[in-house]
Amino acid sequence: MTIFCSHCHRPLQAEMSCLPRRGKQAPSTSKPFRSTKSASKARRDQINVELQALRSLLPISTREKERLSYLHTMALVCLRLRGAQLFPPGSAPPAGPTLGSELLSLLPGFLLVLSASGKLVYVSENVAQVLGLSMVELLAQGDSIFDILDGRVREEVRKKLLLAQEEPGREVTFVSEMRTSKAFRARHGGDRAVAVRGRFTASRCPASPSTAAFLALCTPVTWSDGDASSQDSLFQSTHTLDMTFIDITESVTYHLGYPRQELIGQSWYSLLHPEDTDLAAAQHRAL
């Protein structure tokens, strides 16, 4: 049987073909697929190791370290770095961090240190007694004073801080609600009003914005709802003849940091500086 070519209709021979011969092609080799999952996991593991190393260096208790998330760890590290920049080794540290827990418990509020731009540098541990948030939990709200204040007063606070920065040593005071814990809001119906009183001071010479720190005492303000007199520019008090407080307006908390109930029954002389007591007593007798 003869086989004919379908193209030229000529008989085919075993060694011939009318079709063009194709060159011998090398077997195709597909590019191997490389997964990036293992590389990404290796990077994440390396980052986690470094964060754990940073957490181990923080000057807090082991129990607190175990509760820190990576976000809280980075917030605390940034806080320590800002503090080291303002108060490098060999310079005088701010008064707040050197205070012990027993002395802090005697203060009517918590201590706060800010940089010239309003960044948090130091928050004393007793902040939890005022806001219901620990120092670490407060840092999770933000890294500046403006992140924890009521948004309605942020611009006013910014202006006061700029004014205080232009005149180092000048004391400024502002009152604002600060963010609190969920448990605190559920118990008291909202955030807490706090009076912040402080001044800028140079952490080292020469004085400059990069070396300026705002040192402040933050005291809770407790006034009744709708009491407009609580924010007056003065407070009024009634005394017995020996100057013991009988009554006092709620606005005393704004100016002195003491709750009204705490002052009633105490002597006015207990609030004076010891060096001024004799002069005040002489003026009292003259009346």
Side-chain angles (χ1 to χ4, degrees):
M1 182 178 66
T2 304
I3 300 176
F4 294 90
C5 178
S6 61
H7 293 276
C8 60
H9 302 288
R10 290 186 298 178
L12 293 178
Q13 298 180 5
E15 68 277 4
M16 296 180 59
S17 175
C18 63
L19 296 176
R21 294 185 178 183
R22 298 179 181 178
K24 189 176 182 180
Q25 297 181 354
S28 61
T29 56
S30 60
K31 189 176 181 180
F33 174 74
R34 294 183 179 180
S35 174
T36 59
K37 291 184 178 180
S38 58
S40 299
K41 184 179 183 302
R43 285 194 296 270
R44 289 196 302 270
D45 292 342
Q46 185 177 3
I47 292 173
N48 292 340
V49 169
E50 296 299 331
L51 286 173
Q52 290 173 4
L54 286 175
R55 182 166 55 188
S56 66
L57 297 175
L58 292 172
I60 57 178
S61 66
T62 303
R63 181 181 178 183
E64 290 176 317
K65 290 178 182 178
E66 293 175 351
R67 297 174 55 189
L68 287 180
S69 66
Y70 289 147
L71 174 62
H72 291 156
T73 299
M74 292 305 300
L76 277 176
V77 169
C78 291
L79 184 79
R80 300 292 298 183
L81 289 176
R82 283 194 291 269
Q85 183 179 14
L86 271 178
F87 304 98
S91 66
T98 61
L99 297 178
S101 57
E102 294 183 0
L103 187 55
L104 284 174
S105 65
L106 300 177
L107 294 176
F110 63 93
L111 299 177
L112 185 69
V113 180
L114 306 175
S115 67
S117 60
K119 294 289 187 179
L120 297 174
V121 175
Y122 171 79
V123 183
S124 60
E125 292 290 346
N126 61 336
V127 65
Q129 301 173 10
V130 179
L131 303 180
L133 293 171
S134 67
M135 178 185 65
V136 176
E137 292 169 337
L138 188 66
L139 288 175
Q141 307 291 326
D143 64 349
S144 77
I145 183 66
F146 307 108
D147 294 325
I148 61 177
L149 293 179
D150 186 351
R152 294 170 294 181
V153 300
R154 288 176 184 172
E155 191 59 33
E156 178 186 353
V157 171
R158 197 184 306 274
K159 292 179 180 178
K160 287 195 173 185
L161 290 178
L162 288 175
L163 179 63
Q165 189 175 348
E166 292 173 357
E167 301 180 25
R170 175 176 179 174
E171 186 177 275
V172 295
T173 303
F174 57 87
V175 178
S176 172
E177 288 188 350
M178 287 190 177
R179 293 190 178 185
T180 55
S181 65
K182 184 177 180 180
F184 183 96
R185 293 192 299 271
R187 181 178 179 182
H188 299 279
D191 292 330
R192 187 160 205 174
V194 176
V196 181
R197 178 183 300 172
R199 60 172 61 89
F200 270 101
T201 182
S203 59
R204 61 185 185 275
C205 294
S208 67
S210 62
T211 63
F214 183 75
L215 311 181
L217 175 64
C218 306
T219 55
V221 177
T222 54
W223 53 60
S224 58
D225 295 338
D227 185 6
S229 65
S230 59
Q231 299 187 54
D232 287 345
S233 59
L234 51 84
F235 64 90
Q236 298 179 349
S237 59
T238 307
H239 305 260
T240 60
L241 293 178
D242 62 354
M243 294 302 292
T244 299
F245 285 102
I246 298 177
D247 194 14
I248 191 168
T249 56
E250 291 283 354
S251 56
V252 67
T253 306
Y254 173 82
H255 296 279
L256 301 184
Y258 293 99
R260 171 180 175 273
Q261 295 79 2
E262 185 176 334
L263 291 176
I264 293 178
Q266 290 193 23
S267 173
W268 174 74
Y269 288 102
S270 65
L271 302 179
L272 300 182
H273 191 280
E275 295 180 358
D276 298 328
T277 304
D278 293 339
L279 177 61
Q283 297 292 332
H284 183 197
R285 287 192 295 268
L287 293 176

